[in-house]
Amino acid sequence: MAETLSRKRFVYAFGGGLADGDASMKELLGGKGANLAEMSALGLPVPPGFTITTEACTHFYAHDRAYPESLRGEVAEALTRVEALAGKRFGDAANPLLVSVRSGPALPCRA
């Protein structure tokens, strides 16, 4: 999925044998995100997920602690993809999608 020139992209998906990123994108995706994308692209059994970029963090601090306008929609789209790949729904009492949120950049994010 190529980034358009008109707006910056903040969410990169992985899982199901596909990935938007790769190991060379550690500065943008962080070590965990870049390596999960790389493993998924190699066909390893990585649960579907997505990474919010370090640029979203930088934007947050540079814009009075406000997230980029497109972030909510990008996360919703990525979560829908994860639900489809997992065959589960986030918030569904009968067939819930369980998620794990990981954080921990190599260096603190600053504006």
Side-chain angles (χ1 to χ4, degrees), residues 3 10 19 22 24-25 28 32 34 38-39 44 46-47 55 58 62 72 75 83 86-87 94 99 103-104 107 111:
E3 178 179 333
F10 296 103
D22 60 46
S24 72
M25 300 172 73
L28 179 66
K32 289 181 195 90
E38 186 74 16
M39 290 186 295
L44 295 174
V46 175
E55 289 176 344
T58 300
R72 183 180 299 271
V75 168
E83 289 174 331
V99 299
S103 179
L107 300 171

Side-chain angles (χ1 to χ4, degrees), residues 10 52 56-57 59-61 63-72:
F10 296 103
I52 299 174
C57 179
H59 182 283
F60 178 80
Y61 286 110
H63 293 88
D64 199 28
R65 297 183 180 250
Y67 292 106
E69 287 184 29
S70 64
L71 185 60
R72 183 180 299 271

